[in-house]
C-alpha cells in the first residue's frame, strides 16, 4: 500500500544512512537529514493527526515551525516523551517513535470524529453558552470537558535530561540565516563586530538554499548556488559565531533575547545520555538584526483542511530540499506567482502537476510563461469551492470567480488530485519585532503588517521587513547595513541581481463558495478548528476588538499561535466590519515564538540547585548527630535532635526541659550580624532603634526594636558596643539582608552626613549559645581565666577573650530566660568551639537543641519572634512593649507613625497570652479567636501566633493577637475548630519566671 | 530585562538591581511637627505615572549604591541616571 515518493537525490539527504522509525506503531524508513514530516510524506503518509474540536483528519501542512496540524507525541512510552511536537521540526534518528494526538482509538478511526457531524451545533462560544446552566451541573460538565480537553500527554516520570543556561554578549545578533541574515552577519563580522548568527533549522540558508528559479540570478548563478558559496565563506569568519537548531523564543527590552539551542534531540537515544539536551541562551546584543523571513499564508476556502492540502512553499521544499514528492497528482491553488515556482519544481523532476488554479485574471511574468510552455493547465479567475476525500484529498471542485471576487459562477469542474499546494501570499514573521515593544504598520499595497521603525539598536531586514524580491532585499539590506554600522563599502555593492518581473497579487481573505457560508467549513485556525463562519458569528454577537474575537473563537490560540491563519482572521474581520486592517491592529505576539520545554526554562535550577542554601560552620556536627533540619530563609537550621526514634514532640520536650534544668546549646550562627563603625554610630542607632543608645557603655549589650517608617515592627536583636565608635548589631536570621539594605538606604539617601560604615559579618562568625543553670560552669571549664562573676560579667554585657589561641567574643545575653552566653568565634573555628562546649558540658548532660525548642523556650518567656508573632501590622505598643519606646528621643524611624490616629486605636490587635482551660489541649497556630459562639457571622477577634506544650510548666501555652486584647486579661474566649470549640483564657504573655530571676541563677 | 548604567559600576543587567520606588521624596526633618495628613502624604502617597517617572534604584548585587533614574514607564526607556544628591535633569 505504501509508495515510495522519494523522487531524486538531494544533497541534504544522506541516502547511504537509512533510518527506521515508528509512527503509530508501524515501522517506516527514512534517511539521515529527513524530518519526521518529510520521511512520512516519502512513505505517502499524509494523515498524521486529528483536529482539536471536530477531530477532523489532518495532514502535514508546512515544512517548519509554523505547522498547525502535524503535532505529535514523541517517544510515547519513554521518560523522554514530549507532547505537541511539530513533525516538521523533528529530525529523525534510528529508533524514534511518534504517535498521533487527540484521537481515540486511533488516528484512522477516531470516535471524536462524530463532532465533525455535530459541528452545526458546536459554533464559536459553544462551551461558554452551554455549560453556564444550571450552575450546579458545573462539576459534572467539568469531568467531561477535562477529559476531552488537551492534546498530548505529559511525561509522568522525572525528566532524565540535563538542561543548561548560558549568558552571551555580542555586538550584533542576527536572527535567521536566510540570505538576508547571512549577508548581514557576514558584513557585520567583517567590519569587526563580534557577531552571532542563529537559525532554528539544522541547515543554514533559509528558503533561498533550495531556490532554483532560473529567472532569479545573483552573479549569474541561481540564488541557491550563489548562497552555498556564501555559507562556505562565512563558516571561516573569525568574528562570527553560528548556532543552528537555535530558536529565538523571546525578544525583551534592551536587546535581551532568549533562545533555545537544541543539542541532542536529533541524536539516537544512546547518544543522548549525559549530554545537555537543550540550552537556554540569554543573549544581550548591542545591535539586533532580525532576518526572520516570511511565512506563506494558505487560502481560506471550503474544506481547506484535508490531508494532502499543504502550503505551496512546503510542497516545493519537500521536493527540492528533501527530494520528496508530496503527491502523485498535484494541483496548485494560488493568488500570486510563487505557486508557479513550486509547480515548475515538481515538473522538472517529472512529478505530475494536474493544474494550477489562479484567482487572478492573468500574470505575464517569465515564470508563468514558462509554466504555460510546459502545458500545465492553468485556470485563471477560478476558485476552489469544495474539496473531497476524508482521510486524504482526492479531488477539488472549482468554479469561475466573479469580477468582484465575492461569488462564483458557471459550472463546477472537478479535478482529481492527491495533493493541493496552496499559495496565499507571504506574511512577514514580525513576532520577535513586536515582542521587542515596537509597533507595526499595515502596508496597503503588499497587504501585510510590517515593522514601523528601525532603531539604532534594531533593524529588520529581508522579507520580515516586507521585502519579498531578491533585488529589493539586497538593496535595502545594503543601505541599512551602511547606515547602522557606519560601513562605507559592503560586498553587496557589487552584487549583480537579475529578477523576474513584478509579482502581481490578488488578495481575497475569504474565498466564496457556491454554497452559503453556513454550509461550508473554511478553516482559518486549523489546530483549533476556528472557521470563517465562527469569526463572522463573533462579530454578529457584538465582539469588535480583535483580542476579544480571538478569545471567543480561539483563533490563534493553539500551540502554533496562529502563525498561518491570524492574518486571514484579521482580514475577514476587517472586511465584515468594514474597517481598514491597519486600524484594526493585530493581536499581541507573546513569547515564546515556538514552545519551550520546562527543562529549558529551569535549566540547572532543579532539585538541590532549586535555590541556594546556607549552612553554618557547625552543620556537619548536626548532620552527624542526626538533627532534623528546618529552612529559615536560605539557611538550613537544626530543628531538633531526635534520639532513639523520638518524635518531634518528644525530642522538643526533652530538649526544653534539659535547657532549663541543666544546660542546652544552640547553633545561633545564622543570626544576622552587622558591624557598625564611625563617629556617628551611636547617633545612627538612636535613629534606627526605638530606644536610646547614646548612654550605652562600652562592653554592654542592649536589645533593640526596629520599626518601619509606618510604625510597624520590622526587626529586633541585641546590639553590643565594642568601642567608642564601634558596635555589632545582631538581626533576625531571615531579616539580616533586608535590615542591612534598609540601614544603607537611610545612610545613603536621608542621612548622608552621618559618619557611619556598615559591614555584613554574618558569615564571618560562628555562634554557639550556651544556656541553662550550668552554663556558667561549662564556660568556666572552657575559659578558666575569665572571671564569670555577676560583678565582672553581668547579664547584658560583653567580653573579648580567648579560648586557647582562638579569639572570641562572648555576650551574656539570653533568649530563653536562662543564664546564658553567646560565644562568637571566627567561622572556621565554629565546629571546634561547638565540640569543646559539648565535651565540657558532658558531665552536665549538655543537650543540643534546635530552633523548635528555642521557639518554645522563648514563648514560655513571652519573647516575640518577628515574623511569627508580628506580621507587619504590629506596633511595639500592640506588642505590649511600650517600655522599649523612648519618649525622650525627638525622632527615630517610625516614631511619628505611632501617634497616628489609626495606630493609637484602642481596638487594634494586641499581643496577649492564651491559656487553654484544658491544659493538655495545644492550640493550632493560626486558629481564629472569637468571643461568642453560635453566631453567624461571628466577629473574628484575632488569631493564635505561637503555641506549644510547655514541659517546664506542664501545660499548654500560646501567644495570640486579639482585638483590644490588652484590656481582656482574664477574659474567657473561644477557639472554634472543625470538630470542637476550645475554651481559653486571656493571660499575661510571660508564662515563666516573670521576675527574671533565672537570668542570674 | 533592562540594561542599567550604574553610575558607579557601568552597564549591568537588571537582575543585579532593586527598584526602590518614587524618587525625591525627602523624609521630613521634623516629623513630630506634622499633622496626620501631612505625615500620611509623606508615608503613603506615591505617583504611578504612565510616562516619565523619577525613581530610586539600588545596585543591590553590585556596589550597593542607591541612585536615581528617569524612566518612561510607557516604553521603559531609561532617559537619565544620576547619583543621589544630584539635581534631577529638567524634563
Amino acid at each position: 500500500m505504501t509508495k515510495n515518493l522519494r523522487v531524486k537525490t538531494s544533497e541534504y539527504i544522506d541516502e547511504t544512512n537509512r533510518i527506521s522509525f515508528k509512527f503509530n506503531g508501524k515501522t517506516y524508513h527514512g534517511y539521515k537529514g529527513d524530518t519526521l514530516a518529510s520521511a512520512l510524506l516519502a512513505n505517502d503518509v499524509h494523515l498524521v493527526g486529528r483536529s482539536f474540536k471536530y477531530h477532523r483528519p489532518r495532514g502535514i501542512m508546512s515544512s517548519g515551525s509554523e505547522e498547525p496540524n502535524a503535532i505529535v507525541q514523541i517517544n510515547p512510552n519513554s521518560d523522554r516523551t514530549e507532547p505537541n511536537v511539530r513533525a516538521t521540526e523533528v529530525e529523525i534518528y534510528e529508533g524514534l517513535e511518534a504517535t498521533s494526538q487527540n484521537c481515540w482509538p486511533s488516528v484512522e478511526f477516531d470516535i471524536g470524529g462524530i463532532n465533525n457531524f455535530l459541528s452545526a451545533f458546536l459554533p464559536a462560544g459553544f462551551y461558554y453558552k452551554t455549560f453556564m446552566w444550571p450552575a450546579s451541573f458545573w462539576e459534572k460538565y467539568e469531568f467531561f470537558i477535562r477529559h476531552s480537553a488537551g492534546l498530548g500527554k505529559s511525561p509522568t516520570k522525572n525528566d532524565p535530561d540535563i538542561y543548561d543556561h548560558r549568558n552571551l554578549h555580542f555586538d550584533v545578533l542576527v536572527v535567521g540565516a536566510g540570505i538576508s541574515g547571512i549577508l548581514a552577519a557576514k558584513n557585520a563580522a567583517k567590519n569587526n563586530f563580534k557577531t552571532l548568527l542563529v537559525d532554528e533549522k539544522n541547515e543554514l540558508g533559509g528558503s533561498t538554499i533550495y531556490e532554483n528559479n532560473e529567472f532569479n540570478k545573483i552573479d549569474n548563478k541561481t540564488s541557491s548556488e550563489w548562497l552555498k558559496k556564501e555559507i562556505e565563506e562565512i563558516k571561516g569568519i573569525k568574528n562570527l559565531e553560528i548556532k543552528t537548531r537555535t530558536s529565538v523564543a523571546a525578544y525583551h527590552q534592551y536587546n535581551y533575547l532568549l533562545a533555545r539551542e537544541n543539542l541532542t534531540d536529533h541524536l539516537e537515544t544512546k547518544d543522548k545520555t549525559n549530554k545537555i539536551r537543550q540550552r537556554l541562551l540569554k543573549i544581550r546584543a548591542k545591535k539586533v538584526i532580525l532576518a526572520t523571513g516570511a511565512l506563506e499564508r494558505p487560502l481560506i476556502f471550503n474544506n481547506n483542511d484535508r490531508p494532502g492540502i499543504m502550503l505551496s512553499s512546503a510542497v516545493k521544499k519537500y521536493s527540492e530540499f528533501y527530494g520528496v514528492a508530496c503527491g502523485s497528482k498535484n494541483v496548485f491553488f494560488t493568488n500570486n506567482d510563487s505557486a508557479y515556482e513550486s509547480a515548475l519544481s515538481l515538473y522538472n523532476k517529472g512529478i505530475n502537476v494536474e493544474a494550477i488554479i489562479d484567482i487572478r485574471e492573468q500574470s505575464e511574468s517569465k515564470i508563468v510563461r514558462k509554466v504555460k510552455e510546459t502545458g500545465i493547465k492553468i485556470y485563471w479567475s477560478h476558485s476552489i469551492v469544495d474539496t473531497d476525500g476524508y482521510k486524504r484529498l482526492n479531488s477539488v471542485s472549482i468554479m469561475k470567480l466573479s469580477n468582484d471576487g465575492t461569488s462564483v459562477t458557471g459550472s463546477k469542474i472537478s479535478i482529481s488530485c492527491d495533493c493541493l499546494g496552496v499559495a496565499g501570499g507571504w506574511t512577514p514573521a514580525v513576532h520577535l519585532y513586536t515582542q521587542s515593544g515596537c509597533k507595526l504598520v499595515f502596508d496597503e499595497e503588499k497587504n501585510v503588517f510590517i515593522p514601523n521603525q528601525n532603531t539604532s539598536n534594531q533593524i529588520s531586514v529581508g522579507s520580515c521587513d516586507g521585502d519579498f524580491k531578491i533585488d529589493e532585499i539586497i538593496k535595502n539590506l545594503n543601505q541599512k547595513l551602511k547606515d547602522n554600522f557606519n560601513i562605507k563599502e559592503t560586498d553587496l555593492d557589487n552584487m549583480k541581481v537579475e529578477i523576474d518581473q513584478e509579482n502581481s497579487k490578488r488578495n481575497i481573505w475569504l474565498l466564496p463558495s457556491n454554497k452559503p457560508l453556513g454550509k461550508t467549513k473554511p478553516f482559518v485556525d486549523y489546530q483549533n478548528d476556528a472557521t470563517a463562519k465562527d469569526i463572522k458569528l463573533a462579530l454578529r454577537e457584538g465582539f469588535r476588538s480583535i483580542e476579544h474575537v480571538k478569545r471567543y473563537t480561539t483563533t490563534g490560540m493553539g500551540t502554533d499561535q496562529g502563525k498561518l491563519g491570524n492574518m486571514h482572521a484579521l482580514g475577514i474581520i476587517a472586511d465584515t466590519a468594514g474597517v481598514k486592517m491597519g486600524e484594526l491592529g493585530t493581536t499581541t505576539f507573546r513569547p515564546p515564538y515556538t514552545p519551550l520545554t520546562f527543562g529549558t526554562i529551569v535549566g540547572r535550577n532543579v532539585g538541590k540547585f532549586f535555590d541556594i542554601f546556607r549552612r553554618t560552620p557547625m552543620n556537619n556536627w548536626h548532620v552527624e548527630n542526626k538533627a532534623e533540619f528546618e529552612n529559615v530563609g536560605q539557611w538550613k537550621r537544626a530543628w531538633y535532635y531526635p534520639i532513639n526514634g523520638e518524635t518531634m514532640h518528644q525530642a522538643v520536650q526533652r530538649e526544653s526541659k534539659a535547657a532549663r534544668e541543666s544546660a542546652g546549646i544552640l547553633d545561633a550562627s545564622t543570626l544576622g550580624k552587622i558591624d557598625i563603625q564611625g563617629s556617628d554610630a551611636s547617633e545612627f542607632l538612636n535613629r534606627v532603634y526605638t530606644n536610646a543608645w547614646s548612654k550605652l557603655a562600652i562592653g554592654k549589650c542592649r536589645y533593640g526594636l526596629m520599626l518601619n517608617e509606618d510604625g510597624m515592627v520590622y526587626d529586633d536583636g541585641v546590639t553590643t558596643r565594642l568601642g567608642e565608635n564601634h558596635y555589632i548589631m545582631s538581626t533576625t536570621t531571615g531579616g539580616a539582608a533586608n535590615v542591612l539594605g534598609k540601614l544603607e538606604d537611610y545612610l545613603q539617601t536621608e542621612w548622608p552626613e552621618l559618619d557611619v560604615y556598615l559591614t555584613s559579618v554574618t558569615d564571618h562568625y560562628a555562634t554557639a549559645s550556651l544556656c541553662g543553670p550550668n552554663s556558667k560552669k561549662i564556660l568556666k571549664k572552657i575559659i578558666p581565666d575569665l572571671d564569670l562573676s555577676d560583678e565582672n560579667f553581668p547579664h547584658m554585657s560583653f567580653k573579648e577573650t580567648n579560648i586557647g589561641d582562638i579569639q572570641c567574643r562572648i555576650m551574656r545575653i539570653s533568649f530563653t530566660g536562662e543564664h546564658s552566653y553567646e560565644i562568637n568565634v571566627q567561622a572556621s573555628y565554629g565546629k571546634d568551639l561547638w565540640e569543646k562546649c559539648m565535651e565540657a558540658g558532658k558531665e552536665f548532660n549538655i543537650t543540643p537543641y534546635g530552633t523548635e525548642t528555642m521557639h518554645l523556650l522563648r514563648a514560655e518567656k513571652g519573647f516575640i519572634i518577628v515574623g511569627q508573632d508580628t506580621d507587619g501590622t504590629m506596633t511595639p505598643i500592640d506588642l505590649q512593649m511600650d517600655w522599649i519606646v523612648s519618649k525622650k528621643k525627638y525622632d527615630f524611624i517610625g516614631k511619628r507613625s505611632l501617634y497616628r490616629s489609626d495606630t493609637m486605636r484602642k481596638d487594634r490587635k494586641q499581643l496577649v497570652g492564651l491559656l487553654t482551660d484544658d491544659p493538655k489541649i495545644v492550640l493550632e497556630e493560626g486558629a481564629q479567636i472569637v468571643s461568642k459562639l453560635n453566631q453567624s457571622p461571628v466577629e473574628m477577634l484575632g488569631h493564635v501566633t505561637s503555641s506549644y506544650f510547655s514541659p517546664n510548666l506542664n501545660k499548654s501555652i500560646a501567644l495570640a493577637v486579639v482585638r483590644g486584647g490588652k484590656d481582656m486579661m482574664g477574659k474567657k474566649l473561644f477557639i472554634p475548630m472543625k470538630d470542637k470549640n476550645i475554651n481559653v483564657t486571656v493571660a499575661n504573655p510571660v508564662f515563666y519566671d516573670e521576675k527574671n530571676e533565672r537570668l542570674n541563677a | 530585562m533592562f540594561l542599567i548604567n550604574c553610575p558607579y559600576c557601568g552597564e549591568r543587567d537588571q537582575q543585579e538591581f532593586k527598584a526602590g520606588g518614587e524618587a525625591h521624596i525627602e523624609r521630613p526633618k521634623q516629623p513630630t511637627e506634622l499633622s496626620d495628613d501631612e505625615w500620611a502624604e509623606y508615608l503613603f502617597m506615591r505617583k504611578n505615572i504612565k510616562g516619565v517617572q523619577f525613581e530610586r534604584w539600588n545596585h543591590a548585587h553590585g556596589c550597593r549604591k542607591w541612585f536615581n533614574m528617569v524612566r518612561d514607564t510607557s516604553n521603559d526607556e531609561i532617559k537619565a541616571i544620576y547619583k543621589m544628591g544630584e539635581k534631577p535633569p529638567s524634563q
Side-chain angles (χ1 to χ4, degrees), chain A residues 35-38 40 60 67 70-72 85-91:
Chain A
T35 62
L36 180 59
S38 68
L40 286 171
I60 296 156
E67 177 61 39
I71 52 175
V72 296
V85 179
R86 292 154 299 283
T88 48
E89 289 197 301
V90 178
E91 296 173 49

Side-chain angles (χ1 to χ4, degrees), chain A residues 253-254 284 709 744 748, chain B residues 13 27 56 64 66 76:
Chain A
Q253 303 140 322
Y254 294 86
R284 187 77 81 168
E709 205 66 273
E744 285 179 333
Q748 288 180 35
Chain B
D13 193 278
R27 188 176 188 273
R56 286 154 28 95
R64 294 194 63 83
W66 284 89
D76 284 333

Side-chain angles (χ1 to χ4, degrees), chain A residues 750-939:
Chain A
E750 298 295 352
W751 308 320
E753 71 281 6
L754 293 185
D755 176 39
V756 176
Y757 303 89
L758 305 172
T759 312
S760 166
V761 293
T762 305
D763 292 338
H764 300 200
Y765 292 95
T767 309
S769 176
L770 198 56
C771 91
N774 286 319
S775 57
K776 190 170 169 179
K777 291 178 199 155
I778 296 168
L779 189 62
K780 189 76 197 166
K781 281 176 73 179
I782 301 170
I783 318 175
D785 300 341
L786 186 62
D787 178 0
L788 296 179
S789 67
D790 287 345
E791 295 72 42
N792 183 54
F793 196 178
H795 182 57
M796 297 307 272
S797 68
F798 153 84
K799 293 285 174 220
E800 185 140 25
T801 177
N802 288 310
I803 302 176
D805 290 336
I806 309 169
Q807 268 195 325
C808 67
R809 288 172 171 174
I810 307 177
M811 283 91 171
R812 191 177 153 191
I813 53 178
S814 176
F815 193 40
T816 60
E818 296 298 316
H819 189 121
S820 97
Y821 301 94
E822 280 192 6
I823 311 164
N824 296 277
V825 294
Q826 192 184 314
S828 49
Y829 294 113
K831 194 171 172 227
D832 188 49
L833 166 72
W834 183 272
E835 281 164 347
K836 273 200 169 69
C837 292
M838 289 304 294
E839 180 59 35
K842 214 176 227 169
E843 61 177 295
F844 304 102
N845 184 33
I846 188 170
T847 302
Y849 66 91
T851 49
E852 192 63 23
T853 292
M854 174 187 83
H855 284 187
L856 191 160
L857 294 173
R858 65 87 207 178
E860 288 179 337
K861 286 293 296 171
F863 294 151
I864 59 153
I865 288 188
V866 173
Q868 176 161 344
D869 302 298
T870 73
D871 61 1
T873 66
M874 303 295 286
T875 69
I877 319 299
D878 297 336
L879 294 169
Q880 307 222 42
M881 290 172 79
D882 312 45
W883 54 270
I884 204 171
V885 180
S886 166
K887 304 273 186 301
K888 289 185 197 140
K889 281 202 294 185
Y890 179 72
D891 192 12
F892 55 82
I893 296 172
K895 175 169 172 139
R896 175 62 185 83
S897 290
L898 298 179
Y899 302 96
R900 290 178 59 236
S901 56
D902 184 58
T903 43
M904 300 216 309
R905 275 190 297 117
K906 288 266 178 286
D907 64 343
R908 289 178 63 83
K909 284 184 182 170
Q910 290 145 353
L911 188 82
V912 294
L914 286 186
L915 290 172
T916 49
D917 288 3
D918 177 349
K920 287 195 187 64
I921 296 179
V922 181
L923 299 173
E924 271 185 39
E925 288 174 1
Q928 293 291 322
I929 301 163
V930 301
S931 62
K932 296 186 185 88
L933 291 170
N934 307 321
Q935 197 182 34
S936 102
V938 65
E939 188 193 9

Side-chain angles (χ1 to χ4, degrees), chain B residues 48-59:
Chain B
N48 186 13
I49 298 166
K50 183 181 179 183
V52 175
Q53 181 161 289
F54 292 74
E55 301 173 331
R56 286 154 28 95
W57 283 75
N58 177 227
H59 196 185

Side-chain angles (χ1 to χ4, degrees), chain A residues 167 252-256 282 284 286 687 709-711 737-738 740-742 744-746 748-751 890-897 899-902, chain B residues 1-3 12-15 18 25-37 39-40 42-44 56 58 63-66 75-78 84:
Chain A
N167 290 296
H252 297 297
Q253 303 140 322
Y254 294 86
N255 279 353
Y256 182 71
K282 303 173 175 179
R284 187 77 81 168
K286 294 199 179 101
R687 296 188 192 185
E709 205 66 273
D710 61 7
N738 291 336
L740 179 70
K742 179 185 160 93
E744 285 179 333
D745 186 352
Y746 275 90
Q748 288 180 35
T749 64
E750 298 295 352
W751 308 320
Y890 179 72
D891 192 12
F892 55 82
I893 296 172
K895 175 169 172 139
R896 175 62 185 83
S897 290
Y899 302 96
R900 290 178 59 236
S901 56
D902 184 58
Chain B
M1 194 77 81
F2 304 167
L3 192 62
R12 295 289 190 277
D13 193 278
Q14 185 186 344
Q15 63 183 4
K18 196 173 85 176
I25 295 178
E26 204 180 334
R27 188 176 188 273
K29 291 273 182 287
Q30 297 177 313
T32 43
E33 314 286 308
L34 301 183
S35 69
D36 266 13
D37 284 351
W39 181 246
Y42 159 72
L43 198 55
F44 301 121
R56 286 154 28 95
N58 177 227
C63 64
R64 294 194 63 83
K65 284 286 195 184
W66 284 89
N75 59 10
D76 284 333
E77 188 194 337
I78 297 170
M84 279 293 159

